[in-house]
């Protein structure tokens, strides 16, 4: 990565058929401060994440690489300041997520510099960003219920052909017609009961549920089945 002459992010790794990718941006222009380098790089990072999250939820982390030196000596050390893996969904605010990541890097850098090691910043070397697509636990489209649940006749399993099964499960309480599993009963019912499903990802993950609870002042219970 150190031999690149591009001032932009370049993809340096791709594994698992492209599900996990690594990007690197070298500090070609010798920018002196961590804050300035991150801010200049932010639009590119935003674009990489935006393109990826349009295809799938993802996890990513950022690592800022730097070189430190003990003044008046030739003693140098490479240091890396990194963020924890952050989940990102299509409805999330990417700019806000990046701002939180930058604050984490600034904090880690300051903590290291205040430990009294005698090292001073010599150069900002580059940024590594790892991006991994993943499928979180959550809903999807219609799937048949296990027979032992179906036989209880106590559930409504809407036969939808899209990824909005969570929305239909919330609306099902308002369907009093025969065959409530039929999708035709759900056309227009959302507006009748003023539910707000905006900014909700479909298929819906467990992390999304708190959004609808907050927007609609409702409580949602989620049950899972352990197979085997």
């Amino acid at each position: 990565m150190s031999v690149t002459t591009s001032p932009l992010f370049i993809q340096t790794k791709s594994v698992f058929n492209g599900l996990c990718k690594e990007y690197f941006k070298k500090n070609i222009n010798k920018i002196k401060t961590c804050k300035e380098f991150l801010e200049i790089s932010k639009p590119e990072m935003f674009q990489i994440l935006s393109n990826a999250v349009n295809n799938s939820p993802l996890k990513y982390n950022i690592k800022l690489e730097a070189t430190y030196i003990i003044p008046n000596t030739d003693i140098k050390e490479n240091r890396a300041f990194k963020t924890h893996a952050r989940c990102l969904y299509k409805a999330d605010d990417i700019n806000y997520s990046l701002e939180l990541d930058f604050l984490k890097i600034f904090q880690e850098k300051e903590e290291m510099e205040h430990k009294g090691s005698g090292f001073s910043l010599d150069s900002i070397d580059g940024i590594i960003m790892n991006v991994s697509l993943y499928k979180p636990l959550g809903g999807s489209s219609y799937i048949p219920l296990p027979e032992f649940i179906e036989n209880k006749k106590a559930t409504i399993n809407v036969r939808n052909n899209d990824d909005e099964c969570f929305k239909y499960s919330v609306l099902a309480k308002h369907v009093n017609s025969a065959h409530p599993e039929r999708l035709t009963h759900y056309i227009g019912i959302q507006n009748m009961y003023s539910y707000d499903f905006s900014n909700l990802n479909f298929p819906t993950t467990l992390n999304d549920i708190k959004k609808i609870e907050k927007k609609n002042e409702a409580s949602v219970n989620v049950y899972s089945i352990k197979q085997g």
Side-chain angles (χ1 to χ4, degrees):
M1 290 186 291
S2 61
V3 298
T4 180
T5 58
S6 173
L8 306 176
F9 272 97
I10 60 170
Q11 182 181 309
T12 52
K13 289 182 183 178
S14 179
V15 296
F16 303 119
N17 294 320
L19 291 178
C20 302
K21 295 180 180 180
E22 180 185 88
Y23 299 87
F24 176 70
K25 178 183 176 76
K26 187 175 182 180
N27 187 10
I28 295 291
N29 296 320
K30 306 297 182 183
I31 295 170
K32 296 295 185 182
T33 69
C34 169
K35 182 176 182 180
E36 183 182 1
F37 186 48
L38 287 172
E39 288 298 333
I40 287 175
S41 305
K42 186 178 179 181
E44 286 183 79
M45 299 165 78
F46 177 96
Q47 195 60 53
I48 290 171
L49 294 174
S50 179
N51 290 341
V53 81
N54 277 333
N55 297 319
S56 167
L58 59 85
K59 289 185 178 181
Y60 76 95
N61 79 305
I62 301 168
K63 181 164 66 173
L64 179 76
E65 295 190 324
T67 299
Y68 279 75
I69 188 171
I70 295 181
N72 303 316
T73 73
D74 294 326
I75 302 175
K76 293 186 178 183
E77 281 190 5
N78 295 323
R79 299 290 176 92
F81 308 106
K82 57 187 177 181
T83 66
H84 298 297
R86 182 183 298 279
C87 296
L88 193 68
Y89 303 92
K90 192 172 183 179
D92 289 342
D93 186 334
I94 298 176
N95 275 315
Y96 179 68
S97 296
L98 288 173
E99 288 297 330
L100 294 178
D101 294 327
F102 292 176
L103 288 175
K104 174 68 170 61
I105 289 173
F106 298 153
Q107 181 182 19
E108 191 171 313
K109 176 177 175 291
E110 289 179 3
E111 288 176 354
M112 189 280 293
E113 292 175 346
H114 287 124
K115 286 182 178 179
S117 62
F119 282 91
S120 297
L121 179 65
D122 183 55
S123 64
I124 302 294
D125 301 325
I127 299 172
I128 294 175
M129 185 163 67
N130 295 293
V131 180
S132 302
L133 305 185
Y134 84 114
K135 187 174 179 62
L137 178 64
S140 59
S141 188
Y142 167 80
I143 57 173
L145 289 171
E147 186 176 352
F148 78 94
I149 294 180
E150 185 70 39
N151 290 340
K152 293 180 183 295
K153 307 297 182 183
T155 58
I156 298 174
N157 191 17
V158 181
R159 293 177 177 269
N160 58 305
N161 54 8
D162 53 26
D163 289 328
E164 300 185 4
C165 63
F166 175 77
K167 181 171 74 174
Y168 302 127
S169 70
V170 173
L171 297 174
K173 64 178 290 186
H174 301 293
V175 176
N176 298 315
S177 306
H179 301 291
E181 76 281 0
R182 293 178 180 174
L183 191 59
T184 52
H185 295 307
Y186 296 82
I187 298 174
I189 199 172
Q190 175 181 341
N191 295 330
M192 291 174 58
Y193 292 95
S194 301
Y195 284 102
D196 184 357
F197 293 101
S198 61
N199 296 323
L200 194 65
N201 292 293
F202 294 108
T204 304
T205 68
L206 294 179
N207 288 333
D208 286 321
I209 291 176
K210 60 185 178 182
K211 297 178 183 178
I212 192 171
E213 289 182 320
K214 184 176 181 179
K215 282 179 174 290
N216 296 278
E217 297 183 353
S219 178
V220 176
N221 296 316
V222 178
Y223 299 91
S224 63
I225 301 173
K226 184 177 181 180
Q227 296 181 337

